[in-house]
Amino acid sequence: KRFLHSWQAMLIGSLLMLSALFYLLHYLIFRDAHHIFVYLVSDIAFVPVEVLLVTVIIHRVLSEREKKVLLEKLNMLIGVFFSELGQPLIRTLMEYDATCDVTRRQFKGADFSRESFPRLKKNLAAHGCSIDVTGKDLRLLRDLLLEKRQFLLSLLENPNLLEHDRFTELLLAVFHLSEELNHREDPDHLPAADLRHIEGDIKRVYELIVREWADYMNHMRENYPYLFSLAIRLNPFDPQARPEIGLEAPPNNTI
């Protein structure tokens, strides 16, 4: 730090001396001190305007542009997350939601339009899920999370996620749930108190991922209609969702 400060002091001193030398040279050649002071005062008077243009306006424009680019990168990461893990994770977690029919009704016919999206978000905030894992197979959830463990770690290592607190919170909650299940030798035979603890971890992930999925769908509808078209056809809340366009869904008992 001392070297840095010393180097900066030398640079400042050199620039000031160079400026003084040029002013002196101007005076020796033209012998016009009045002209020198007129331009000196004029340049100093313009400094606040220059600071305003550079540090406030231009810097703000560049910052907004950088922020927009960063958000696009973040949404790409979120899209990869839902494609690789998010959608199958939602389908698995819904098996533990005793009120999943309510959630399915909200999302099954949702078009995520600008008019209906605020109402959907309000309904999600008002609707609390009820997680019950009693008699359910937790090994499927554990195997899914452990299979995607390296994928989760790679996402958590991405520095861009520091700009998206909610998605980072979701990833941490998913990783914590995978750790909890990984340390149970037999997750299907746990004490009642431990089951309640696991239910709390599942509920945390479930509520976060549902809201994040809704926000991501709204973003795609507004910015990437072609991605939204596929995502809505793969709606994890619709048991009859099919990627093919115009293909009639099979009856429920065959799903």
Side-chain angles (χ1 to χ4, degrees), residues 91 94 104 107-108 232 234-242:
R91 294 188 184 97
M94 287 189 68
R104 278 176 174 161
F107 281 113
K108 186 175 180 180
I232 203 69
L234 295 174
N235 188 341
F237 296 95
D238 185 358
Q240 295 182 338
R242 293 294 181 271

Side-chain angles (χ1 to χ4, degrees), residues 187-220:
D188 289 335
H189 296 86
L190 299 176
D194 201 32
L195 285 177
R196 303 292 83 79
H197 177 79
I198 296 297
E199 287 175 351
D201 291 332
I202 292 176
K203 182 176 181 179
R204 182 187 303 111
V205 172
Y206 187 55
E207 291 180 342
L208 288 172
I209 199 171
V210 166
R211 292 185 175 91
E212 194 63 43
W213 185 81
D215 288 337
Y216 177 64
M217 292 292 287
N218 182 58
H219 169 77
M220 284 195 298

Side-chain angles (χ1 to χ4, degrees), residues 34-143:
H34 173 75
H35 185 269
I36 293 176
F37 281 106
V38 167
Y39 275 91
L40 178 63
V41 173
S42 177
D43 290 341
I44 294 176
F46 186 72
V47 168
V49 178
E50 186 176 11
V51 170
L52 175 65
L53 290 174
V54 175
T55 63
V56 178
I57 299 178
I58 297 178
H59 178 70
R60 182 173 181 179
V61 171
L62 293 176
S63 296
E64 289 294 328
R65 183 176 179 181
E66 291 177 358
K67 184 177 180 180
K68 184 178 180 180
V69 172
L70 179 59
L71 288 176
E72 289 300 320
K73 292 180 179 180
L74 285 174
N75 283 305
M76 288 175 60
L77 287 176
I78 295 173
V80 172
F81 167 78
F82 279 110
S83 178
E84 187 73 16
L85 174 60
Q87 290 187 353
L89 182 57
I90 289 175
R91 294 188 184 97
T92 303
L93 294 179
M94 287 189 68
E95 298 297 324
Y96 311 121
D97 183 8
T99 61
C100 64
D101 289 341
V102 178
T103 309
R104 278 176 174 161
R105 284 198 301 269
Q106 290 179 350
F107 281 113
K108 186 175 180 180
D111 58 1
F112 297 93
S113 64
R114 188 171 300 175
E115 296 76 19
S116 65
F117 184 68
R119 184 171 61 254
L120 176 62
K121 292 281 288 184
K122 183 178 180 180
N123 292 338
L124 284 175
H127 168 61
C129 65
S130 178
I131 302 298
D132 185 6
V133 300
T134 305
K136 302 293 180 64
D137 189 358
L138 287 173
R139 288 176 298 181
L140 293 175
L141 177 59
R142 182 187 65 180
D143 294 345

Side-chain angles (χ1 to χ4, degrees), residues 4 26 29 81 114 155 162 184 188 191:
L4 181 62
H26 183 280
I29 295 174
F81 167 78
R114 188 171 300 175
L155 287 180
L162 297 175
R184 268 70 174 182
D188 289 335

